[in-house]
Amino acid sequence: KTSSSSALGPDGLNIAQSFFKPIHNTTPPPPTTRNTKISVVGVGNVGMAIAQTILTQSLADELALVDVNPDKLRGEMLDLQHAAAFLPRTKISASVDFSSTVGSDLVIVTAGARQIVGESRLNLLQRNVSLFRKVVPPLAAASPECVLMVVSNPVDVLTYVAWKLSGFPSNRVVGSGTNLDSSRFRFLIADHLDLNAQDVQAYIVGEHGDSSVALWSSISVGGVPILSFLERQQIAYEKQTLEKIHKEVVEGAYEVIRLKGYTSWAIGYSAASLARAILRDQRSIHPVSVLAKGFYGIDGGEPFLSLPAQLGRSGVLGVTNVHLTEEEANKLRESAKTILELQTQLGI
C-alpha cells in the first residue's frame, strides 16, 4: 500500500503525538457516523479526471486509487495530496492491491484495454473481459455492499460483464452509459437557444455508441415541450435537422479524441454527477446503463443499455416511464439487439 510519509525529517521524527494536547473524558463518535469512501480503479486520463472532480466537489471522505502501475499511481496520489490546502479534507490513498478498496460505498471502474489499430470490436471486448475477470471479483469481495459503476468502454457490454462477475443484484451495477451523451445533447440545444443547459431536459438512450436513440418527443425547455411548441407556433422543422444534431452528439467524442487524443473532463463531471446522486441519495434521474429486460418492450436476453433511471443510495431505484413514440421504441429495441449480439459472443 502506498501512502505519504507521516514522519518528518531524516531520523523519522514524528511530532503528531505531541503537536496536539488531548481532550480528556471524550467519548467515541456515535455508531451512526461513518465516512464515505469511493474507489477509482484505473488512473489514466479518465480515472484521474473523475478523481479530481470527486475531490473538488467534496463527494467523499476517503478516496482510494488502484492501478497496476505503481510509479504512476504514487505520482498521481502525491499530486492530488499536494493540493490538500485548496480542497475539502479527503483522505487519499493509492495501492496496486484491491484490499485498499475495502469498505467502499462506490467503486468506479475506468480500467480497460485500448483498441489496437485494425483490431475488431469483438477482440477488444474479449481482452477487456479478461481484464474484468481479474478486477471485478476482488472488488466485489472487498466491498460486498458497494454500488459498482462501470465507465470503461464499450460501457454497456462491460457493465453486463461486471454484473455477471460480481454476483451483485442488478440495481447495484450501473454503467455511465449515455449520461455524457445526453449532456452533449442538452448543450447543443441550449447553445442554439442561448440559455443554460440545466434548463434543457433531453435524453439520449440505448447504446453508448452508434445505435443510440435521441428522444426528441420528450425534450422540454423550461417545462415547454419543444416539438409540440414548434407545431403550435406553426414553425416548420425537418427530421433531417434533428438527426444532424443527434449525429453531432454521437461524433462529439470522436472529435475530442481527434483533437486532443482522449476525452477526460466531461466524463469526469458526468461520473461525479452520478456519484453524487447515488451517495447522497438524491433520487435524481440520469440516463445510465442498466439491465433493460422488461422495459419498453425489451424482452429477449439480459441487455444492459441506457434508460432514464432514478439513482439513490442503493443504486438504481427504478426506470422512468418516459413516453416514447413508436419509432423511438423500435429504435431502442434495435439498439438492444445490437448489444445482445455482442453479449452472447462473450461466453459469460
Side-chain angles (χ1 to χ4, degrees):
K1 185 176 180 180
T2 300
S3 63
S4 59
S5 176
S6 60
L8 303 176
D11 299 322
L13 176 65
N14 190 340
I15 64 172
Q17 298 298 320
S18 58
F19 194 78
F20 296 101
K21 290 184 177 180
I23 297 174
H24 298 292
N25 301 321
T26 60
T27 58
T32 55
T33 300
R34 62 182 300 273
N35 289 340
T36 299
K37 181 175 180 178
I38 299 177
S39 293
V40 177
V41 182
V43 296
N45 295 316
V46 170
M48 291 313 298
I50 292 172
Q52 187 265 351
T53 313
I54 284 170
L55 288 174
T56 57
Q57 295 187 5
S58 190
L59 297 179
D61 301 296
E62 184 175 352
L63 176 66
L65 305 176
V66 180
D67 199 277
V68 295
N69 185 334
D71 289 341
K72 178 171 172 52
L73 185 65
R74 179 168 173 78
E76 294 288 9
M77 178 200 71
L78 290 172
D79 207 6
L80 290 178
Q81 288 179 335
H82 294 167
F86 317 117
L87 293 169
R89 186 177 185 274
T90 304
K91 180 182 178 183
I92 305 170
S93 62
S95 176
V96 296
D97 193 334
F98 292 113
S99 63
S100 65
T101 67
V102 166
S104 295
D105 299 281
L106 176 66
V107 175
I108 303 174
V109 181
T110 73
R114 290 188 176 183
Q115 192 165 13
I116 301 170
V117 176
E119 182 180 31
S120 70
R121 191 181 186 194
L122 181 60
N123 191 63
L124 173 65
L125 258 177
Q126 293 289 10
R127 288 200 295 127
N128 274 313
V129 169
S130 298
L131 175 64
F132 268 46
R133 287 187 189 277
K134 300 174 184 176
V135 169
V136 173
L139 289 173
S143 303
E145 301 300 321
C146 77
V147 175
L148 186 60
M149 183 195 301
V150 178
V151 179
S152 312
N153 277 319
V155 67
D156 302 298
V157 180
L158 289 181
T159 304
Y160 164 80
V161 171
W163 172 55
K164 287 294 186 180
L165 294 176
S166 67
F168 283 2
S170 60
N171 65 292
R172 287 202 284 117
V173 182
V174 61
S176 55
T178 57
N179 194 51
L180 177 52
D181 306 65
S182 298
S183 175
R184 292 188 180 111
F185 195 31
R186 293 167 67 186
F187 161 73
L188 289 170
I189 294 168
D191 191 49
H192 177 70
L193 297 174
D194 194 22
L195 52 77
N196 193 319
Q198 293 183 350
D199 291 321
V200 178
Q201 186 172 34
Y203 295 125
I204 300 285
V205 297
E207 178 195 18
H208 172 58
D210 296 340
S211 72
S212 64
V213 183
L215 300 186
W216 287 101
S217 64
S218 63
I219 295 176
S220 65
V221 175
V224 179
I226 285 293
L227 294 190
S228 60
F229 170 79
L230 295 176
E231 290 169 0
R232 286 198 309 272
Q233 299 296 319
Q234 296 183 347
I235 299 173
Y237 64 90
E238 295 182 355
K239 191 175 179 181
Q240 290 87 341
T241 304
L242 306 185
E243 289 304 318
K244 183 179 179 182
I245 295 175
H246 179 213
K247 184 180 179 183
E248 195 171 341
V249 170
V250 173
E251 294 178 350
Y254 299 129
E255 182 180 10
V256 174
I257 292 170
R258 179 180 63 81
L259 293 170
K260 63 176 273 190
Y262 56 89
T263 62
S264 58
W265 298 120
I267 188 61
Y269 282 102
S270 173
S273 74
L274 301 178
R276 186 189 307 107
I278 292 168
L279 295 177
R280 294 184 178 172
D281 198 29
Q282 290 195 331
R283 297 173 176 261
S284 51
I285 298 168
H286 299 263
V288 289
S289 192
V290 299
L291 180 60
K293 185 177 181 180
F295 299 106
Y296 299 107
I298 301 170
D299 296 321
E302 297 173 320
F304 269 71
L305 72 161
S306 286
L307 299 174
Q310 186 186 42
L311 300 181
R313 194 61 187 78
S314 59
V316 181
L317 307 180
V319 172
T320 311
N321 189 20
V322 176
H323 171 73
L324 305 185
T325 65
E326 186 175 347
E327 181 182 6
E328 289 168 344
N330 288 334
K331 285 183 177 179
L332 183 59
R333 287 189 283 269
E334 285 300 316
S335 188
K337 288 180 182 178
T338 300
I339 293 169
L340 269 175
E341 286 176 7
L342 286 171
Q343 287 182 188
T344 53
Q345 297 178 64
L346 298 179
I348 292 183

